[in-house]
Amino acid sequence: MIFSKHFFGLGILLSAYNIGYSQTEAPKPLIKDIYTADPSAHVFDGRIYIYPSHDIEANIAQDDDGSHFDMRDYHVLSMDSIGGKVVDHGVALDIKDIPWAGRQLWAPDAAYKNGVYYLYFPVKDKKDVFRIGVATSSSPTGPFKAEPEPMKGSYSIDPAVFTDTDGTSYLYFGGIWGGQLQRWNKGQYNANGSKTDLQNDKAPAISARVAKLSQDMKQMAEIPKEVVILDQAGKPLLGGDHDRRFFEGAWVHKYEDLYYFSYSTGDTHLLTYATSKSPYGPFTYQGVIMEPVTGWTTHHSIVEIKQKDQSSKWFIFYHDVELSGQTHLRNIKVRELKRNSDGSIQTIRP
Ligand code: FUB
């Protein structure tokens, strides 16, 4: 991530009023007592649980590696329905209880299997290299106990676990620039490697990784593969294609037997998506889910929620900086995700 440029501020919000977008449905921050971001939402046993980052003012100068995102714990939030009361269940995992952690607890995700809840989280190790850890609990709200070591062979940020209809779970992860993905080549980390992807404009873009999870959900069961994103002509998206190439914040959901891989384009501030018939891809780029929000980062999750009448609706959880106006102090929101009859996703103008 580069954090000092392209701040999408109140001006864009105000201009939206002027060009006539409906603001009557504009969602409000789900919680105002603490700053939250990167919301990974799940329905466990009929209740909605949100696993966000917990943003804090750490008084660290803003830099291009995102050092000012110096988060130290996670809170789990829950609610019984969209629009219902949001409960903050307090600290679910603290950085001081992760034996191998150095700094910066970034965007987490969660999963459930056989009576155990799993929290997946990226944090820099003591050598300042991002790794992905797992913590477990018997409750969706924690407290979670971290494994003594990061997942073997894990690197970079933004873990997202997708469990397929056959019960197989996959870990998607990665983020370029501050998320360090561009420094990894064939499983090796190069601390002096490129700070950005900008040298590779004509080469296939660096992309997220995917690996099947082990039966115990605590390790990757295979060497991670690259998530290839193709354009409509079947050619890989290139590094210079900043409006469409992957940057960070992967999420996968399945709708009518098609896998939807969605992600942030980072420096162009879009949430976009691509589809495939396989959870491994290759995925074909389809379009924009959400135009830029206020703030530099944009990060989301998509979840199907049963309504009282047993019908289903899909929702997107995301963040902006409505409460603080500052890049690193974000607030999460939710709104309905609508599709066209062919399954394509309607673009949201927040
Ligand atoms: O919250 C820290 C980082 O900002 C996340 O890991 C990225 O996805 C971006 O939202």
Side-chain angles (χ1 to χ4, degrees), residues 18 46 50 75 79 85 103 170 191 204 220 237 244 248 318:
N18 295 336
I50 310 164
H75 285 220
M79 52 192 178
K85 182 176 177 326
R103 61 176 179 142
Y170 301 85
M220 292 184 275
L237 296 186
R244 300 191 297 177
E248 62 186 0
Y318 62 103

Side-chain angles (χ1 to χ4, degrees), residues 156-272:
S156 198
I157 59 166
D158 292 357
V161 172
F162 164 72
T163 300
D164 208 344
T165 31
D166 67 359
T168 310
S169 294
Y170 301 85
L171 176 72
Y172 297 81
F173 64 93
I176 59 174
W177 302 13
Q180 303 179 336
L181 189 58
Q182 72 282 357
R183 294 185 178 174
W184 285 91
N185 191 10
K186 299 200 170 99
Q188 295 299 314
Y189 180 72
N190 178 359
N192 301 315
S194 174
K195 283 202 90 147
T196 75
D197 64 331
L198 297 178
Q199 289 80 358
N200 299 311
D201 279 5
K202 299 224 163 87
I206 300 162
S207 196
R209 307 288 196 265
V210 53
K212 201 178 276 187
L213 281 172
S214 57
Q215 285 298 318
D216 70 1
M217 301 287 276
K218 291 180 180 173
Q219 300 293 344
M220 292 184 275
E222 57 191 358
I223 294 171
K225 301 172 181 43
E226 187 137 353
V227 176
V228 175
I229 308 173
L230 307 172
D231 64 15
Q232 295 283 339
K235 298 213 171 85
L237 296 186
L238 300 182
D241 191 347
H242 290 211
D243 280 339
R244 300 191 297 177
R245 63 94 168 86
F246 171 82
F247 193 99
E248 62 186 0
W251 188 260
V252 170
H253 73 278
K254 193 176 184 181
Y255 178 76
E256 293 187 347
D257 287 336
L258 202 58
Y259 299 87
Y260 287 66
F261 176 78
S262 44
Y263 55 97
S264 162
T265 61
D267 55 345
T268 48
H269 315 283
L270 299 167
L271 291 176
T272 52

